[in-house]
Amino acid sequence: MQHPVTIIGGGLAGSEAALQLAARGIAVELWEQRPAVMTDAHATDGLAELVCSNSLKSTDPERAAGLLKAELTQLGCRLLPLAYAHQVPGGAALCVDRERFSRAVTELIETEPLITLKRMECTCLPELAAEPDRIVILASGPLTSGALWEQITALVGDGGGYFYDATAPIIGVKGLNRSVVFAQSRYGKGGGEDYLNCPFNQEEYLAFRAALIAAEQVPLAAGDDYQLFEGCLPIEELARRGEDTMRFGPLKPRGLTDPRTGAMPFAAVQLRWEDALLSALSLVGFQTRLRFSEQDRVFRLIPGLEGAHFTRHGRMHRNSYLDAPRAIEPTLRLKAAPNVLVAGQLTGLEGYMAAVATGLWAGINAALITGGQQPQVPPQRSCLGAMLAFMTNPAHTAYAPTAFSFGMCTWLPARARRKVKVRMIRESATGAWAEMRASLAAAGSRIVR
Ligand SMILES: Cc1cc2nc3c(=O)[nH]c(=O)nc-3n(C[C@H](O)[C@H](O)[C@H](O)COP(=O)(O)OP(=O)(O)OC[C@H]3O[C@@H](n4cnc5c(N)ncnc54)[C@H](O)[C@@H]3O)c2cc1C
């Protein structure tokens, strides 16, 4: 009798993979260690929990994040419709009520007859990998439990890599000083007033920066060199890099008008709604390693947040990932164990939607393998194809986590203007989606919507 596909990890990647397999009539066992074994970042026992920001980024198909969403919709993504169903105001970005989204995914999986959810920590990867007729999807994420991480690195024969990433604080809406904080989306995008903004004048900004730089941080473990992900630096690190770095990053004032002055502020902190009840907000771009007491003190220097109540503080976490160019094939199979596929942030592809995308593709390929077919590589001109080609390119000798961007579309003419490039990428991707649907249908794995 054929084993059900075993998926290790009920995060974004594992949940999407499980639902893809079930949609193709294939039985799945989904192993999730929480709540018995928690990670440092997860706060609940819910599946597909978003650990930091509640933003799944842009929906604009002229942007990489938006085009990827359009592609995932074409491929019958299961989590994306749930995200739209639990959307909260977020301008041009798809922001979700994290609790309702996670609850919806959990309920869908728990009620899917072909998925058996087992609440247990996997510590038996060598045994699973040694059974050639058992298909495994490894989707245990950047905070994979210690015992499993040791087994993964032993199987792959490489220690993998790590970097530090932090979460941003969340505050209650009640403590805000609404005579200072104003509602406006940058350039009036989305609902026009989807974000709240805390405006700084120059003096306030400089005082805030000085306090941020001087604030006490949580010490690191002995021997750790503090490798950061350049795409998501802690706010205190940005402050340290230069006087204007924050003002050209998360605190940029462009597209905002302070109603008190009728002018653009010197800098502004944006607050994004966290939940459908509009009771809590996160500080956009405020990932931090400051001590909790220091977050209370320093972040209350932000104009309008003097009386803020922190419902969650920011925290720093060590994220693990595999050296994908050497460990993983473009089909997402592990080179050291072809019956094991890898999905999610373990691949080194950074971001919530990349986790969903690789989960979707791992689910499709696991279904093909189960049906006796060869796993497929997505066409390079699709978003997924560009991501997997980038991730497994052996020329990347020092592979570092990377978020999906149009820069991964290496087939583009280098000299074309951005507008022309974006048009070419969109047109090529649309062609690639038709190709993907046709080749999957030919392999007996049509897209299930
Ligand atoms: C602190 C932090 C902040 C981040 N912030 C953002 C952000 O703001 N925006 C963004 O786009 N991306 C962010 N990321 C990156 C990434 O997009 C997320 O981590 C994303 O959730 C990855 O999806 P995943 O499915 O690979 O892993 P996860 O969603 O983490 O899911 C993995 C699951 O596997 C389980 N698990 C682990 N070990 C075992 C085991 N041995 N047995 C069984 N289950 C196990 C875990 O409990 C977890 O539920 C952040 C990552 C971290 C760590």
Side-chain angles (χ1 to χ4, degrees), residues 357-380:
T358 50
L360 177 146
W361 201 254
I364 289 177
N365 270 346
L368 288 173
I369 298 168
T370 306
Q373 304 279 337
Q374 283 302 313
Q376 296 203 3
V377 178
Q380 204 169 343

Side-chain angles (χ1 to χ4, degrees), residues 9 11-13 32-34 52-53 122 145 148 317 319 345 351-352:
L12 291 166
E32 170 52 56
Q33 64 178 5
R34 290 176 289 125
C52 179
S53 152
C122 173
S145 71
L148 179 60
H317 303 279
N319 291 9
Q345 175 107 358
Y352 295 146

